[in-house]
Amino acid sequence: MTVRNAGLVHQVRMLRAGAGDPSMMLAQFRLSAVLVPLWGDEAVWTADEGGLRWIFAFSSKAELAGFVRSKGLAVDGFPYMTVFGSRLLDVAVPELGVPGGIALDVAGKEPMLFPPVRGIVPDAVALDGPVTTGDTGVG
């Protein structure tokens, strides 16, 4: 499958230029097929930063190759999978087991983060999600 994400790249550029609409960019990401590098035993490549776990995703093979090269690794044959952004946000992020989000094109000129907040990831794993009250032991 050839990944062509001109719409996603355009939305990211518009937002970074201060002229975009965050909801349109998020919608475009959710509809886009992105490349996710695999590490180790076919696990998606993640990194922990700022108390969050970030899943790496790329809008094109060129963006993925730039990232792989930046890590000093060989690009040829580097394993990756193609997945829709919606699946990353709705399935992969909750499966992390810790607060996390998506880091798009992190080695490129126009990276974008999709943090674990309501409206981006499911409320159950959003850091600003609904507060549940349980037995406090008081009383």
Side-chain angles (χ1 to χ4, degrees):
M1 170 193 276
T2 299
V3 174
R4 292 191 172 104
N5 283 318
L8 174 59
V9 171
H10 174 74
Q11 290 297 327
V12 169
R13 284 181 182 151
M14 292 290 291
L15 192 64
R16 292 181 64 80
D21 178 343
S23 62
M24 287 182 64
M25 190 219 24
L26 177 60
Q28 188 65 51
F29 177 75
R30 294 183 70 78
L31 293 171
S32 296
V34 294
L35 308 176
V36 178
L38 302 177
W39 191 253
D41 190 20
E42 295 190 15
V44 297
W45 195 342
T46 64
D48 293 340
E49 181 64 40
L52 302 173
R53 181 157 300 153
W54 297 96
I55 298 171
F56 295 128
F58 299 91
S59 62
S60 68
K61 285 186 178 180
E63 289 288 344
L64 174 61
F67 172 76
V68 171
R69 274 194 294 280
S70 77
K71 300 299 181 187
L73 300 170
V75 173
D76 290 341
F78 196 88
Y80 67 90
M81 67 178 175
T82 304
V83 61
F84 284 105
S86 59
R87 185 136 175 96
L88 287 176
L89 294 171
D90 297 341
V91 177
V93 168
E95 287 182 359
L96 289 173
V98 296
I102 308 299
L104 179 69
D105 294 342
V106 295
K109 293 180 182 177
E110 298 178 306
M112 183 59 62
L113 298 177
F114 296 87
V117 295
R118 284 184 295 171
I120 295 178
V121 300
D123 287 355
V125 296
L127 293 179
D128 63 342
V131 176
T132 59
T133 58
D135 183 8
T136 61
V138 177

